[in-house]
Amino acid sequence: QVQLVESGGGLAQPGGSLRLSCVASGDIDNINAMGWYRQVPGKRRELVAAITFLNNTHYGTPVSGRFIISRGDAKSTVFLQMNKLEFGDTGVYYCNADVQSGLVLTDYWGQGTQVTVST
């Protein structure tokens, strides 16, 4: 079992910045990758950014070049630096952990944190 707690959401103006944090606890030694997804009402949850335990990163097309995902020294913490925010970045952002235990792969999710971009 892995528990994820997000923080750092809130309100920002277009062109502004926000930084999200996610702390994992529990079976953290089996985490393969962590990432951020976002969802707005009526739409599918979409990948924002992900980072593997080897620090390989992947970004969704809408945020590439504006957002940066990184891991903390503890490796069980992941950050999302969001720059040049746009109205379309509004949504609930969920932290995700991809955990492998033997041959079993399990996705864990945080509760989500709201990000609103508005004037």
Side-chain angles (χ1 to χ4, degrees):
Q1 292 277 340
V2 171
Q3 296 77 42
L4 303 170
V5 178
E6 304 110 331
S7 61
L11 176 66
Q13 292 187 340
S17 298
L18 284 173
R19 189 180 194 224
L20 305 183
S21 300
C22 175
V23 179
S25 60
D27 190 18
I28 62 173
D29 289 339
N30 289 327
I31 294 177
N32 284 341
M34 294 182 70
W36 292 93
Y37 288 70
R38 68 186 182 192
Q39 189 168 25
V40 296
K43 291 190 176 182
R44 293 174 56 186
R45 191 172 295 188
E46 65 173 357
L47 172 70
V48 176
I51 186 166
T52 71
F53 73 97
L54 294 176
N55 287 330
N56 296 315
T57 58
H58 177 71
Y59 295 92
T61 299
V63 308
S64 182
R66 299 187 296 120
F67 291 10
I68 301 171
I69 190 169
S70 61
R71 297 180 69 175
D73 291 338
K75 304 298 183 184
S76 58
T77 302
V78 64
F79 305 100
L80 184 68
Q81 179 65 41
M82 304 187 292
N83 301 318
K84 300 180 181 179
L85 285 163
E86 302 172 354
F87 293 118
D89 295 321
T90 295
V92 179
Y93 283 66
Y94 295 92
C95 182
N96 168 267
D98 179 26
V99 178
Q100 181 167 5
S101 180
L103 297 178
V104 178
L105 297 176
T106 305
D107 274 326
Y108 291 90
W109 297 92
Q111 293 296 311
T113 184
Q114 177 70 43
V115 169
T116 302
V117 182
S118 180
T119 56

